Amino acid sequence: MAKIAYILLCHKDPDAIIGQAEMLTKAGDYIAIHFDGRARPEHYRRIRGALADNPNVTFARKRVKCGWGEWSLVQATLLAVEAAAKDFPRATHFYMLSGDCAAIKSARYAHEFLDAEDVDYIESFDYFESDWIKTGMKEERLIYRHYFNERKRKWLFDASFALQRKLGLSRAIPNDIQIMIGSQWWCLRRRTVEWILEFTRKRRDVMRFFRTTWIPDETFFQTLVRHVVPDAEIRTRTLTFLMFTDYGMPQTFYNDHYDLLLGQDFLFARKISPEATELKARLGALYSDDDATFKISNEGRSLFKFLTGRGRIGQRFGSRFWETESTLGRHRELMIVICKKWHVAKRLLEQVRKITNTPAIEYLFNEEDTDLPDLGGIQSTLEKRTRHRRALMRMLFDYYGTDQLIVCMDPSALDLLQDFASDRSTTRMLEIQCVFTDDYLIGHAMRVGLAGEQTSAETFERLLPTIRGDMVYESDGIRDAEFEHHYIISESRPPEENAAPIARFLDIDHEQARDIARTEHLFAD
């Protein structure tokens, strides 16, 4: 009978990881865990300690810092696969999972399913002939070298790509492999995994090539499996059920999706909401239930398409994405930097990015040209961003693959601040109080259209106290709202005093906060 070694890549929620490992190994299967090198060390120690006595659990020999679209995701997977292959010689199959996945069938059903055919399950479509990539780069993912993370260091990513293209620094794809593409969620036989590991040791040229491709977790295993395994032994599908919204974001499953998930022709499902505790408990009990039977209807994707389509024409039970996803999620942390001087907040954000590596977005509700990813059009105008603000924010959390996000807002946006503060997520605010000189206020009046080049000194003399009063009024309104996690730094205070509220706002140590507070020319106009 099949014995499955689960390959788990995860970066958060240690208690959920421990529970997932205990559930999967209780049925006699194995699990190899790679916990992101960027995650908190104390979380990793908790996982290791809780699972130390479980002989069916192993860990990757080293932890790497993972980033979306980077080679690091493939590297982490290979490290976990190597550990599983070495420590679990009886494992017959290796199944790729994330911390957001959950079994939707029993262990007995999964084992019998894998025993039925001696094949590998992996999406593997021709890279150039298929329409798997809908928009954006295609050939450019491969023929140019990508050294920087597109989400975290977008300017360097774009500049490097533009420079290579301008100088004609493209490269050839290794001529004896056919590039394939597909989902990163696969299940491979032991023999296939051993062939791939051997391939990685022998073909250093191919490894060098993939290390600088963009989003290699969608091409590396998909290409190598097709290279080492006969076509007849490959089923071009995933065994993990996942759906995507119209905006290209994974659909999240909640407590009331239990019956729907059981009817799908898959062994696992992704993504399960961290708040769906009842669903997780029921699925956990199901996995160890050898008597469970399943009626496969496989209507999930068509039903989802139908219901959302009905919502488009105003009919019942067809909630749009921003209605069904109306909360950011209890487990998420939205950190809002509030500052009237936008250039000051942007300087602070740049330093925060360097020190914390937390995704940070500038004035997305104030500046039309704020650098945002393509989210299917919801990000295209300020009016859409504001109207569907919670949906937009949730999509950004999903896009960056994070539970922590920093954004900038103008202090005039009190309604937005109150809306986010009322969400079930944790919302923290850092207000930056600046000194407003007359010269700054004159420039501000001209930028917002209250004055022009020909405005007289007498008019400015009457106008400036009003503008200054409005700014004080906005700040008072924020304080009067009595937000739970509201911190203040001030231009009039020394960096040492500003470090403390920064540390509480970002949940970092004092030394890091002090480095941020000492940002060079932070308050300069």
Side-chain angles (χ1 to χ4, degrees):
M1 178 175 281
K3 299 276 285 186
I4 307 170
Y6 292 103
I7 309 301
L8 178 62
L9 264 57
C10 47
H11 66 280
K12 60 181 180 180
D13 203 348
D15 293 331
I17 294 167
I18 294 166
Q20 190 177 26
E22 290 175 340
M23 181 196 80
L24 295 175
T25 57
K26 188 176 181 180
D29 290 316
Y30 311 103
I31 191 166
I33 299 173
H34 178 276
F35 194 64
D36 195 339
R38 298 187 191 278
R40 296 183 178 182
E42 62 269 24
H43 288 178
Y44 182 60
R45 289 193 293 269
R46 190 193 310 173
I47 296 169
R48 296 275 323 216
L51 300 174
D53 297 329
N54 191 328
N56 287 11
V57 177
T58 191
F59 292 84
R61 60 182 171 83
K62 70 174 183 178
R63 297 165 60 203
V64 297
K65 296 180 179 179
C66 297
W68 184 90
E70 294 180 6
W71 169 255
S72 55
L73 286 174
V74 177
Q75 184 184 7
T77 305
L78 287 171
L79 288 167
V81 167
E82 288 172 352
K86 176 184 176 184
D87 294 344
F88 307 133
R90 296 180 61 199
T92 62
H93 294 77
F94 295 72
Y95 195 120
M96 181 76 178
L97 287 179
S98 78
D100 295 322
C101 295
I104 57 174
K105 297 293 187 293
S106 65
R108 178 179 178 179
Y109 182 98
H111 295 153
E112 291 176 350
F113 183 97
L114 296 177
D115 282 334
E117 281 194 286
D118 186 21
V119 294
D120 296 305
Y121 294 91
I122 183 170
E123 284 191 352
S124 181
F125 304 100
D126 185 278
Y127 188 91
F128 295 100
E129 298 298 326
S130 72
D131 64 347
W132 208 86
I133 298 175
K134 303 296 184 185
T135 60
M137 289 185 181
K138 190 166 186 177
E139 183 183 31
E140 294 85 354
R141 290 191 188 188
L142 306 175
I143 65 173
Y144 295 105
R145 297 165 179 83
H146 301 280
Y147 298 104
F148 304 102
N149 187 296
E150 189 265 348
R151 291 183 175 179
K152 296 173 183 173
R153 307 174 75 183
K154 183 171 176 55
W155 184 87
L156 287 173
F157 179 92
D158 292 340
S160 172
F161 169 61
L163 181 62
Q164 291 180 72
R165 187 165 56 177
K166 181 178 180 179
L167 298 178
L169 298 178
S170 60
R171 59 179 175 177
I173 297 169
N175 57 20
D176 64 333
I177 62 171
Q178 178 186 7
I179 302 296
M180 310 297 286
I181 191 168
S183 167
Q184 63 269 51
W185 311 110
W186 42 254
C187 178
L188 304 177
R189 296 167 294 173
R190 182 178 198 90
R191 181 179 63 182
T192 302
V193 164
E194 290 173 345
W195 283 346
I196 289 175
L197 293 177
E198 182 181 6
F199 185 96
T200 64
R201 291 188 288 267
K202 290 183 177 180
R203 292 296 302 271
R204 309 312 298 176
D205 59 323
V206 176
M207 298 296 284
R208 285 193 298 272
F209 171 78
F210 276 107
R211 277 194 181 96
T212 51
T213 59
W214 188 41
I215 321 182
D217 54 313
E218 294 179 352
T219 55
F220 180 80
F221 289 98
Q222 297 78 0
T223 298
L224 266 59
V225 169
R226 188 69 67 171
H227 187 80
V228 300
V229 176
D231 287 354
E233 297 180 19
I234 300 174
R235 297 291 175 265
T236 307
R237 58 160 296 187
T238 175
L239 296 180
T240 298
F241 178 62
L242 65 163
M243 298 189 301
F244 291 90
T245 69
D246 294 346
Y247 300 101
M249 295 292 112
Q251 175 67 22
T252 302
F253 298 109
Y254 296 92
N255 290 332
D256 56 352
H257 288 124
Y258 179 80
D259 292 326
L260 180 144
L261 292 176
L262 265 58
Q264 307 313 306
D265 187 22
F266 297 85
L267 304 183
F268 280 74
R270 183 179 189 275
K271 304 171 58 171
I272 308 298
S273 169
E275 299 173 32
T277 53
E278 179 186 340
L279 176 62
K280 291 180 180 180
R282 295 179 72 184
L283 293 176
L286 177 71
Y287 190 74
S288 58
D289 184 358
D290 289 343
D291 297 325
T293 58
F294 302 90
K295 294 181 180 180
I296 305 301
S297 57
N298 220 29
E299 84 298 342
R301 292 193 175 99
S302 59
L303 182 62
F304 176 74
K305 183 177 181 181
F306 170 75
L307 290 178
T308 53
R310 302 295 282 179
R312 298 297 186 273
I313 57 175
Q315 295 199 22
R316 200 176 173 196
F317 306 125
S319 300
R320 294 179 72 97
F321 176 84
W322 41 82
E323 294 166 344
T324 57
E325 304 291 336
S326 59
T327 177
L328 305 187
R330 196 184 303 276
H331 61 293
R332 285 175 165 161
E333 296 179 0
L334 177 63
M335 292 170 278
I336 305 174
V337 176
I338 307 165
C339 187
K340 198 68 181 180
K341 290 187 177 181
W342 296 359
H343 57 280
V344 174
K346 291 176 181 181
R347 285 193 200 115
L348 186 83
L349 243 62
E350 185 60 32
Q351 190 72 355
V352 168
R353 288 190 190 102
K354 293 177 182 177
I355 292 177
T356 70
N357 206 28
T358 303
I361 302 170
E362 295 172 359
Y363 286 84
L364 73 169
F365 296 111
N366 301 98
E367 293 183 302
E368 194 87 57
D369 60 351
T370 298
D371 189 12
L372 290 170
D374 184 355
L375 301 174
I378 195 173
Q379 84 295 338
S380 58
T381 67
L382 290 176
E383 189 272 335
K384 282 187 177 182
R385 297 177 204 170
T386 303
R387 177 159 34 108
H388 308 305
R389 46 189 172 263
R390 290 201 188 188
L392 172 67
M393 209 64 73
R394 184 164 191 132
M395 292 167 74
L396 287 169
F397 274 110
D398 288 337
Y399 178 85
Y400 287 106
T402 182
D403 288 331
Q404 291 184 313
L405 184 67
I406 306 172
V407 299
C408 287
M409 292 190 195
D410 190 270
S412 62
L414 183 59
D415 58 332
L416 292 178
L417 298 175
Q418 289 173 323
D419 186 37
F420 287 122
S422 67
D423 190 81
R424 286 184 291 174
S425 62
T426 298
T427 302
R428 295 199 294 270
M429 303 177 192
L430 180 69
E431 183 182 355
I432 306 176
Q433 295 182 344
C434 300
V435 174
F436 299 108
T437 64
D438 286 352
D439 287 341
Y440 173 82
L441 293 178
I442 290 171
H444 174 76
M446 297 176 72
R447 284 191 295 273
V448 299
L450 294 175
E453 295 291 341
Q454 307 305 318
T455 302
S456 67
E458 292 78 11
T459 300
F460 275 123
E461 188 174 348
R462 294 193 301 269
L463 183 61
L464 295 190
T466 303
I467 297 175
R468 183 176 277 108
D470 283 346
M471 294 181 176
V472 172
Y473 176 79
E474 290 172 354
S475 183
D476 286 344
I478 293 172
R479 285 198 296 276
D480 291 343
E482 297 182 343
F483 295 118
E484 183 178 359
H485 305 289
H486 177 214
Y487 309 103
I488 298 174
I489 65 172
S490 172
E491 182 176 358
S492 60
R493 299 175 190 166
E496 191 63 39
E497 285 187 31
N498 284 332
I502 291 174
R504 292 193 293 273
F505 171 68
L506 294 171
D507 191 20
I508 57 178
D509 62 48
H510 189 79
E511 292 298 319
Q512 291 176 305
R514 189 166 55 189
D515 289 341
I516 295 171
R518 289 175 174 172
T519 300
E520 192 173 1
H521 308 304
L522 175 60
F523 293 100
D525 290 331

